[in-house]
């Protein structure tokens, strides 16, 4: 047996060695899934299988790159480089470029990212004079995406009575028309969106028997990573390719299926053995990441789900600390509790900032934690921010590149026709769009022949359009003979973009120039590396094809080094940290309020919580607030049912009765003076004339007027313990002022001493 296989445990080795038919590898969290895939490919190569005959599909370029690197270390770099290994979108894009003429596209088609797609949909809604409050572009975009992932083209959509009825019911009966227009505009522009890369691949294979037969013969072994995240069209394409030989191995964990909102279908992995009855099942159950307590707690949680493939994950690491559950009186206090606990753990255990992650259900929750971390000077970063290739100045340069590669690209055309400003305004652009729509041609076709398409413009505007067209044609000519780096440099120098940015001498402007320079570095690295490898694919179109398929994970450059990481739980999948805080664990927040009446959605929310806990190596800390400010009012909260789902022997829980508290809304707080004197809240009191018609004090009078001190005001006395909406529990140590200016000085447990104006203070007297 190959020596490298000795590094695998028995379950991993069994999964690697079986290659005679279909196999399902269920890989628990931290069980070495990537190692199995890597070694399986290496084993096939060592057995003499050509890299040309192996197809390995992943969900990020980063994962594919890491696997190739590991495989290269076992076999050799040249063999690893020739593997058909990459994301679904990158592999299928490669196939579609080869076969483009079969479905009416050019091989140099460009790819719309999500924002490009949304911009086009927004433009179509406006052109059709539809109300964008009803036809929200993001909603229509999601509707079209879901249709494509369900293999539904516009013509099939129009024939689907259920879909049409749903649109009529929601008063969006024009959705089908928007979809059809969007589909046709993409074809006219020679572009595809991400969903098209999957749908057109399926259609290509489904409608061309000789083509699917060729790829079936080529891909004799098919491996798929993260199979629980596949959608219907991805599942169908794999089934098409494996139809003859059934040598397909899928790896995943049904307990980590958390992307149904993106179209992922957990049924693909749950029903794999029905699709391939002869398949073998392998379970990777040893967790190498986390302590025994964390693993056992996660097991006790996920066993509550009905839809799953049973497995028992175990750890041989240290027992570790119990999972700590921390309650806070308010969401505000929760933020400061977490920040304080991080500071304490660093001091006691010498952890670094990078050893901590704060995970939340929604992005909106980050604000309070950001504020708390800043207050005590803890550096942090929010994972999943704007990636490099999504920054405006970068997208501007890339729009030039896209238009040069594909002059019919509508969104690229609209983005740069007047940037930098060249006197071609919205009125002219709208005339070009109308003419193109009327004649069924691209915007570039219209400005290439304005008279032929009856473009109603004056001679001055015509000259400006001619100047723009000449500039683009010059770049197109350069692109025919030069590599990506050379053409890119010419665009940056001669388009006027850098001149525009250099005029802005603010720090933000200089940062944008630096980003352009970094893009130039990227072009150089792309072209020089490929030239060193003797590759021919060094043109601008090849560069665009590569970067258009990058995800945020592929472009993040470890910007969180030395900082606490904050992110949504969805973003955390696949990552690990020594210490993980899972925050906001309250009913109607986590699980989400939207999932309450749907058992399947509750199970997905529970899987999401499972993913959160299993990111932790040494310590998992769960936090919740008893009161949370939402939608303009403070609401009483119950701890999440998911905390109750964990076996109590693995938890260190707070000593309060909040687990049993009903989910009720708190009335807006009143001044304790008013509340304590008038418990019904209906009586009125006499207000001195001083406050009915207040007299302005001069600065000298203000300085001379010292507030009176008191032992008590109303029913509030020095020594009372109060519970504040934001600051939590505290002791009253001083009372000053009169009537509307009455103030209390309170020593809070978590926030130190604060002074409260009783007229507006929001608290209750505890004792």
């Amino acid at each position: 047996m190959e020596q490298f296989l000795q590094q695998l445990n028995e379950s991993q080795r069994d999964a690697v060695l079986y290659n005679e038919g279909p196999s399902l590898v269920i890989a628990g969290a931290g069980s070495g899934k990537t190692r199995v895939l890597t070694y399986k490919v290496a084993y096939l190569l060592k057995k003499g299988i050509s890299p040309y005959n192996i197809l390995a599909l992943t969900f990020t370029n980063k994962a594919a790159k890491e696997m190739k690197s590991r495989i290269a270390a076992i076999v050799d770099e040249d063999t690893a480089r020739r593997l058909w290994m990459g994301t679904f979108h990158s592999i299928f894009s490669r196939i579609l470029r080869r076969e483009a003429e079969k479905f009416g596209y050019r091989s140099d088609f460009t790819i719309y990212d999500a924002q490009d797609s949304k911009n086009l949909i927004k433009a179509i809604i406006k052109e059709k004079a539809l109300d964008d409050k009803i036809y929200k572009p993001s909603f229509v975009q999601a509707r079209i995406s879901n249709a494509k992932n369900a293999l539904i083209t516009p013509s099939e959509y129009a024939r689907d009575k259920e879909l049409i009825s749903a649109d009529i019911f929601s008063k969006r009966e024009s959705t089908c028309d928007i979809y059809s227009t969007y589909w046709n505009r993409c074809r006219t522009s020679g572009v595809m969106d991400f969903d098209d890369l999957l749908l057109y691949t399926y259609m290509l294979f489904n409608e061309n028997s000789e083509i699917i037969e060729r790829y079936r013969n080529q891909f004799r072994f098919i491996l798929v990573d993260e199979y629980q995240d596949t959608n219907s069209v991805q599942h169908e394409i794999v089934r098409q390719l494996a139809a003859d030989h059934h040598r397909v191995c899928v790896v995943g964990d049904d307990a980590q299926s958390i992307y149904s909102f993106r179209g992922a279908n957990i049924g693909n992995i749950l029903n794999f053995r029905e699709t391939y009855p002869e398949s073998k099942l392998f379970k990777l159950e040893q967790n190498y990441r986390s302590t025994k307590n964390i693993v056992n707690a996660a097991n006790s949680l996920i066993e509550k789900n009905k839809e799953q493939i049973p497995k028992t994950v175990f750890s041989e690491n240290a027992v570790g600390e119990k999972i700590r559950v921390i309650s806070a009186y308010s969401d505000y206090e929760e933020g400061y509790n977490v920040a304080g606990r991080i500071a304490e753990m660093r001091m006691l255990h010498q952890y670094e900032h990078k050893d901590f992650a704060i995970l939340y259900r929604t992005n909106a929750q980050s604000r309070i934690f950001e504020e708390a971390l800043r207050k005590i000077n803890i550096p942090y970063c929010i994972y999943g921010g704007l990636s490099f290739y999504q920054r405006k100045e970068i997208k501007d340069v890339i729009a030039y590149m896209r238009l040069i590669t594909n002059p019919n690209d509508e969104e690229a055309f609209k983005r740069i026709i007047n940037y930098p400003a060249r006197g071609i305004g919205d009125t002219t652009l709208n005339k070009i769009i109308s003419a193109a729509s009327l004649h069924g041609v691209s915007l570039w076709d219209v400005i290439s022949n304005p008279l032929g398409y009856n473009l109603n413009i004056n001679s001055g505007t015509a000259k400006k359009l001619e100047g723009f067209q000449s500039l683009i044609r010059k770049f197109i000519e350069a692109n025919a003979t030069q590599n990506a780096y050379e053409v890119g440099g010419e665009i940056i120098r001669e388009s006027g973009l850098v001149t525009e940015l250099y005029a802005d001498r603010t720090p933000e402007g200089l940062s944008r120039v630096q980003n352009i320079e970094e893009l130039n570095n990227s072009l150089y690295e792309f072209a020089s590396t490929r030239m060193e490898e003797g590759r021919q694919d060094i043109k601008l179109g090849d560069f665009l094809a590569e970067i258009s398929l990058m995800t945020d994970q592929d472009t993040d450059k470890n910007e969180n080094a030395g900082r606490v990481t904050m992110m949504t739980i969805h973003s955390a999948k696949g990552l690990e940290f020594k210490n993980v805080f899972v925050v906001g664990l309250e009913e109607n927040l986590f699980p989400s309020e939207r999932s309450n009446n749907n058992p399947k959605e509750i199970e997905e929310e529970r899987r999401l919580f499972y993913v959160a806990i299993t990111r932790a190596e040494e310590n998992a800390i769960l936090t919740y607030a008893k009161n949370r400010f939402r939608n303009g009012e403070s609401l009483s909260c119950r701890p999440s049912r998911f905390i109750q789902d964990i076996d109590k022997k693995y938890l260190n829980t707070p000593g309060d009765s909040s687990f049993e508290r009903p989910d009720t809304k708190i009335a807006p707080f009143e001044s304790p003076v008013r509340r304590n004197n008038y418990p019904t809240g209906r009586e009125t009191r006499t207000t001195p004339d001083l406050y009915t018609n207040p007299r302005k004090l001069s600065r000298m009078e203000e300085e001379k007027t010292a507030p009176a001190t008191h032992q008590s005001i109303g029913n509030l006395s020095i020594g009372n313990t109060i519970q504040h909406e934001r600051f939590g529990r505290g002791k009253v140590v001083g009372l000053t002022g009169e009537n509307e200016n009455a103030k209390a000085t309170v020593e809070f447990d978590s926030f130190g001493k604060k002074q409260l104006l009783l007229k507006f203070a929001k608290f209750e007297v505890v004792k």
Side-chain angles (χ1 to χ4, degrees), residues 397 401 475 487-499 516-517 519-520 523:
V397 179
M401 295 177 179
F475 292 148
V487 180
E490 194 167 321
I491 293 169
I492 291 168
R493 288 190 303 274
E494 299 185 26
S495 64
L497 288 174
V498 172
T499 304
I516 297 286
E517 291 170 351
L519 176 63
N520 200 40
L523 285 160

Side-chain angles (χ1 to χ4, degrees), residues 19-76:
N19 295 290
E20 303 309 312
S23 60
L24 170 61
V25 182
I26 296 296
S31 64
K33 166 182 64 69
T34 304
R35 173 172 284 198
V36 166
L37 276 173
T38 301
Y39 282 35
K40 195 175 188 73
V41 173
Y43 178 72
L44 290 171
L45 294 171
K46 288 279 190 178
K47 285 290 184 182
I49 304 299
S50 167
Y52 179 77
N53 296 131
I54 299 173
L55 173 64
L57 298 167
T58 66
F59 273 84
T60 67
N61 291 303
K62 182 180 178 181
K65 188 175 180 180
E66 286 178 0
M67 287 173 60
K68 275 188 179 180
S69 177
R70 295 187 195 183
I71 292 166
I74 298 171
V75 285
D76 63 81

Side-chain angles (χ1 to χ4, degrees), residues 331-350:
D331 48 353
Y332 190 74
E333 185 180 67
E334 181 190 31
Y336 281 81
N337 281 350
V338 169
R341 188 57 62 101
I342 289 173
E344 179 184 37
M345 291 173 71
R346 287 192 68 239
M347 182 177 65
L348 294 176
H349 305 290
Q350 286 72 55

Side-chain angles (χ1 to χ4, degrees), residues 28-34 60 62-63 66 70 225-226 228-229 253 256 258-259 262 287-290 294 354-360 381-385 551-561 563-582 608-619:
S31 64
K33 166 182 64 69
T34 304
T60 67
K62 182 180 178 181
E66 286 178 0
R70 295 187 195 183
D225 191 14
E226 304 286 11
Q228 77 281 348
D229 294 335
D253 182 6
Q256 297 186 65
I258 59 173
Y259 293 119
R262 293 182 186 169
N287 178 300
Y288 292 93
R289 174 187 302 150
S290 308
I294 291 173
K354 68 178 182 180
D355 296 330
F356 295 90
I358 301 172
L359 308 183
Y360 33 76
C381 80
I382 297 179
Y383 186 93
T551 66
D552 285 348
Q553 286 190 38
D554 298 320
T555 54
D556 281 340
K557 293 190 175 181
N558 197 27
E559 293 180 354
N560 64 324
R563 291 188 273 178
V564 172
T565 300
M566 297 171 58
M567 66 178 82
T568 64
I569 302 167
H570 284 99
S571 299
K573 187 168 173 288
L575 304 176
E576 56 188 42
F577 303 88
K578 288 182 179 178
N579 307 293
V580 170
F581 289 83
V582 188
L608 188 61
F609 186 36
Y610 175 86
V611 167
I613 292 173
T614 55
R615 299 310 93 200
E617 298 173 2
E618 298 178 13
N619 292 287

Side-chain angles (χ1 to χ4, degrees), residues 361-362 588 591-598 601:
R361 180 64 181 81
T362 66
N588 297 326
S592 165
E593 189 172 15
R594 293 192 299 269
S595 66
N596 276 342
N597 299 319
N598 189 320
E601 290 185 13

Side-chain angles (χ1 to χ4, degrees), residues 303-353:
E303 69 182 15
K304 307 299 188 297
N305 273 11
K306 293 180 180 178
E307 278 197 322
Q308 63 174 298
I309 297 171
K311 61 181 176 299
T312 304
V313 180
F314 67 93
S315 172
E316 293 184 355
N317 295 336
V319 173
E321 297 289 328
K322 288 185 177 182
I323 291 180
R324 181 175 290 275
V325 182
I326 300 175
S327 69
Y329 184 76
S330 67
D331 48 353
Y332 190 74
E333 185 180 67
E334 181 190 31
Y336 281 81
N337 281 350
V338 169
R341 188 57 62 101
I342 289 173
E344 179 184 37
M345 291 173 71
R346 287 192 68 239
M347 182 177 65
L348 294 176
H349 305 290
Q350 286 72 55
Y351 287 119
E352 297 181 50
H353 287 121

